[in-house]
């Protein structure tokens, strides 16, 4: 599978809500540096898995609508809008945030991520 396909599959519907699926995409030494509208976060493997578990408690659906994806070697840049459906309101799809992330892949896994998001 190409680097682009790996990243596209990672952002397919509901993958981010399933910690087992998320773990299959992550390199054991993964680091995600995330600048969000709420501050800077540096997440390692276990923290990303924990985030996935927390998301699954609040949301019943997760969908990333990718608008741009660029590939150069083992680096993939993705711009997307992340939409969710909450447990409280399962019929309404809501925008969670806009994201821009650059992923470096190693051994066909997500290895280094540099992400920015805004509500």
């Amino acid at each position: 599978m190409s680097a682009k396909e790996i990243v596209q599959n990672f952002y397919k519907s509901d993958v981010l809500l399933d910690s087992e699926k998320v773990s299959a995409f992550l390199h054991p030494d993964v680091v995600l540096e995330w600048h969000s509208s709420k501050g800077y976060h540096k997440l390692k493997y276990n923290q990303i898995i924990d985030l996935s578990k927390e998301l699954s408690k609040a949301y019943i659906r997760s969908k990333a609508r990718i608008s741009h994806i660029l590939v150069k070697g083992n680096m993939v840049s993705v711009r997307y809008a992340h939409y969710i459906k909450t447990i409280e309101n399962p019929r309404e799809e809501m925008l969670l945030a806009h994201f821009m992330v650059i992923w470096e892949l190693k051994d066909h896994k997500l290895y280094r991520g540099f992400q920015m998001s805004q509500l």
Side-chain angles (χ1 to χ4, degrees), residues 7 45 56 63:
V7 171
Y45 181 90
S56 71
K63 183 184 291 184

Side-chain angles (χ1 to χ4, degrees), residues 32-43:
L32 174 62
E33 294 185 37
W34 180 5
H35 292 269
S36 77
S37 54
K38 298 190 181 202
Y40 174 77
H41 310 277
K42 187 172 186 177
L43 305 176

Side-chain angles (χ1 to χ4, degrees), residues 2 5 8 12 15 22 26 28 31 34-35 41 46 54 57 59-60 65-66 68 70 75 82 85-87 103 107 117:
S2 72
E5 291 170 325
Q8 284 176 314
K12 279 192 174 177
V15 168
V22 169
L26 301 179
V31 175
W34 180 5
H35 292 269
H41 310 277
N46 287 331
E54 287 301 312
K57 291 178 184 176
Y59 308 130
I60 59 170
R65 293 198 179 123
I66 296 173
H68 297 80
L70 304 169
M75 305 287 284
H82 191 173
K85 290 184 179 181
T86 64
I87 292 169
W103 278 111
D107 302 328
S117 64

Side-chain angles (χ1 to χ4, degrees), residues 13-115:
S13 294
D14 296 330
V15 168
L16 296 175
L17 301 181
D18 186 333
S19 60
E20 288 183 24
K21 288 181 182 176
V22 169
S23 71
F25 284 94
L26 301 179
H27 189 280
D29 299 321
V30 66
V31 175
L32 174 62
E33 294 185 37
W34 180 5
H35 292 269
S36 77
S37 54
K38 298 190 181 202
Y40 174 77
H41 310 277
K42 187 172 186 177
L43 305 176
K44 295 184 178 180
Y45 181 90
N46 287 331
Q47 293 163 311
I48 297 170
I49 298 300
D50 290 345
L51 177 60
S52 174
K53 289 176 182 177
E54 287 301 312
L55 291 173
S56 71
K57 291 178 184 176
Y59 308 130
I60 59 170
R61 294 282 308 180
S62 170
K63 183 184 291 184
R65 293 198 179 123
I66 296 173
S67 60
H68 297 80
I69 187 162
L70 304 169
V71 181
K72 184 171 184 180
N74 66 334
M75 305 287 284
V76 181
S77 299
V78 183
R79 180 177 176 248
Y80 67 96
H82 191 173
Y83 292 87
I84 50 90
K85 290 184 179 181
T86 64
I87 292 169
E88 294 84 9
N89 194 0
R91 293 188 179 113
E92 182 182 355
E93 185 175 77
M94 300 180 340
L95 175 66
L96 183 62
H98 295 281
F99 289 82
M100 177 66 206
V101 60
I102 301 168
W103 278 111
E104 176 185 353
L105 280 78
K106 181 177 180 181
D107 302 328
H108 303 288
K109 303 275 186 176
L110 302 176
Y111 177 62
R112 291 286 181 266
F114 306 93
Q115 177 170 276

